[in-house]
Amino acid sequence: MSTETATRTVPFFNYRKAFSDRLDEFTQVFQDVVGRGAFIAQKDLAEFEQNLANYLGVKHAVGVGNATDGLVLCLRAAGIQAGDEVLFPTHTMVASPGSVAAIGAIPVPVDIDETGLMDPALLEASITERTRAIMPVQLNGSVCDMDRIMSVAEKHHLLVIEDAAQALGAKYKGKAAGTFGIASSISFYPAKILGCMGDGGAVITDNDDVAKKVRLLRDHGRDEDGEVVCWGLNSRLDNLQAAFLDLQFRDYDDTIVSRRRAIARIYHEELRGVEQVHLPLHPDNQETIFHAYQNFEIEADSRDELRNYLKEQGIGTLIQWGGKAVHQFKALGYGDLKLARAEAFFERCIMLPMNITLSDEDARYVAVTVRKFYNG
Ligand SMILES: *Cc1c(COP(=O)(O)O)cnc(C)c1O
């Protein structure tokens, strides 16, 4: 049989399959948690937090409502105040600068480097006397050039708050993404590397004071005795979601991260020599960056035509953030600011399907179809 006409459907992300493959195990967890009536801040949350902190090699992981809240709480706990400036890379979800704006501080966009991440060489030019922090974004499961970012931060006495929403499991020179600055935030949105069945996030920190403050802030400013010691809000990770996360977190590296890396390897093998595309780091090229492949974001010639062709062949793709860097959203007030590399990047970027529901055959089909688009 000819493979020419073989069609396969590979959605960009299959929300149903991502969780229904383990439905029996999730159902057991559900029955256990409901059987105990354990919904808010119970042992499942504490256990998951401990497992997460151990995995990352830090003292504290604090479950929060979502990673955006997590960033807000990091900023507040670190003492960032209204009017302070925080540098962020313009290729990111609007949540990163949105968290800065949420506390009345000023998010200042910085252009990206050739890897698509915050360009450390551009930081100093954006620093003013009001700059208080740098927010590197560990995008796509990769990690920024943290040596250079940390050295700029040290030189100018700036705090570093990482947006590690997409980077659980990624490492830079052996050190876990999310453990570089004073605090970081991780997301458990369903399509993230470790996803729950709704919203969820965690703040990661080695700093006892920050951890204590975030625990207060996420629970109405109440301490363990119920005494209100500061203004707070409600942003707790649901105990049930923590239990679902903990189930998937057992064996995380060997199941979830390694599976994503295996898919990246297939994409690299099948797309080798296709000059019209630029791929993210090869998984075996890991002296500096151990990539967790939250996304497989490529740059491609004739991007829009490629996207349509893949769609016709049953393959779903996504262009991140609705196709714009943050500073390009008119309503956000960056006016005519030009950040040339990010703008050029957004003419070419597209993400291929990348998640653990893909079979090897799915991944090969995607890559071969990309190759066919260019080479016939
Ligand atoms: C998903 C994401 C967030 C927000 O995470 P939520 O848990 O949905 O709030 C922030 N930053 C980046 C880079 C993300 O990808």
Side-chain angles (χ1 to χ4, degrees), residues 209-235:
D209 294 334
V210 168
K212 193 171 163 204
K213 193 82 203 274
V214 170
R215 286 186 186 281
L216 291 171
L217 292 172
R218 74 164 175 181
D219 189 38
H220 308 290
R222 295 184 295 195
D223 70 12
E224 277 154 22
D225 303 321
E227 177 75 13
V228 176
V229 297
C230 61
W231 292 114
L233 41 84
N234 177 4
S235 185

Side-chain angles (χ1 to χ4, degrees), residues 64-71 91-97 99 135-140 163-167 185-192 198-202 294-295 320-321:
V64 293
N66 56 73
T68 312
D69 279 2
L71 288 171
H91 177 12
T92 186
M93 188 181 180
V94 72
S96 335
S99 68
M135 183 182 280
V137 179
Q138 316 299 20
L139 205 63
N140 295 334
D163 179 342
Q166 297 196 352
S185 182
I186 292 175
S187 176
F188 307 122
Y189 181 87
K192 295 290 158 83
D199 278 310
Q294 159 70 60
N295 299 309
Q320 232 166 174
W321 326 130

Side-chain angles (χ1 to χ4, degrees), residues 74-308:
C74 286
L75 292 161
R76 283 186 59 183
I80 306 297
Q81 297 188 346
D84 291 345
E85 293 177 0
V86 178
L87 308 184
F88 74 97
T90 192
H91 177 12
T92 186
M93 188 181 180
V94 72
S96 335
S99 68
V100 177
I103 62 163
I106 300 160
V108 177
V110 174
D111 208 351
I112 55 175
D113 64 15
E114 58 289 338
T115 69
L117 304 176
M118 172 177 259
D119 188 345
L122 301 176
L123 291 172
E124 286 196 313
S126 297
I127 293 172
T128 73
E129 71 279 3
R130 296 208 291 179
T131 310
R132 285 289 314 284
I134 304 174
M135 183 182 280
V137 179
Q138 316 299 20
L139 205 63
N140 295 334
S142 189
V143 191
C144 303
D145 184 343
M146 292 311 293
D147 281 350
R148 289 182 67 193
I149 291 175
M150 295 309 291
S151 86
V152 173
E154 257 164 58
K155 183 173 162 201
H156 295 272
H157 310 290
L158 304 176
L159 294 171
V160 170
I161 291 162
E162 285 172 83
D163 179 342
Q166 297 196 352
L168 182 60
K171 294 187 204 104
Y172 176 86
K173 298 187 177 172
K175 187 170 163 62
T179 67
F180 284 86
I182 186 167
S184 74
S185 182
I186 292 175
S187 176
F188 307 122
Y189 181 87
K192 295 290 158 83
I193 311 184
L194 179 65
C196 65
M197 283 173 261
D199 278 310
V203 168
I204 305 305
T205 183
D206 242 340
N207 183 304
D208 296 339
D209 294 334
V210 168
K212 193 171 163 204
K213 193 82 203 274
V214 170
R215 286 186 186 281
L216 291 171
L217 292 172
R218 74 164 175 181
D219 189 38
H220 308 290
R222 295 184 295 195
D223 70 12
E224 277 154 22
D225 303 321
E227 177 75 13
V228 176
V229 297
C230 61
W231 292 114
L233 41 84
N234 177 4
S235 185
R236 300 169 300 225
L237 175 61
D238 282 353
N239 192 68
L240 178 61
Q241 296 297 352
F244 290 146
L245 286 163
D246 210 38
L247 170 71
Q248 300 172 85
F249 198 48
R250 289 169 211 161
D251 230 15
Y252 178 67
D253 281 338
D254 292 338
T255 52
I256 299 178
V257 178
S258 70
R259 180 67 199 141
R260 287 174 176 274
R261 290 170 53 77
I263 294 165
R265 206 165 278 121
I266 292 172
Y267 281 160
H268 267 279
E269 269 165 29
E270 299 288 344
L271 290 169
R272 193 169 27 214
V274 180
E275 282 165 13
Q276 295 91 338
V277 296
H278 175 77
L279 306 184
L281 201 63
H282 192 289
D284 296 334
N285 179 2
Q286 52 176 277
E287 295 97 80
T288 308
I289 291 167
F290 181 88
H291 205 308
Y293 298 100
Q294 159 70 60
N295 299 309
F296 199 84
E297 185 170 55
I298 68 172
E299 289 174 69
D301 290 357
S302 312
R303 188 264 319 264
D304 295 338
E305 291 82 352
L306 171 66
R307 188 171 199 213
N308 287 335

Side-chain angles (χ1 to χ4, degrees), residues 224 306 318 372 375:
E224 277 154 22
L306 171 66
L318 192 70
K372 230 163 77 184
N375 299 344

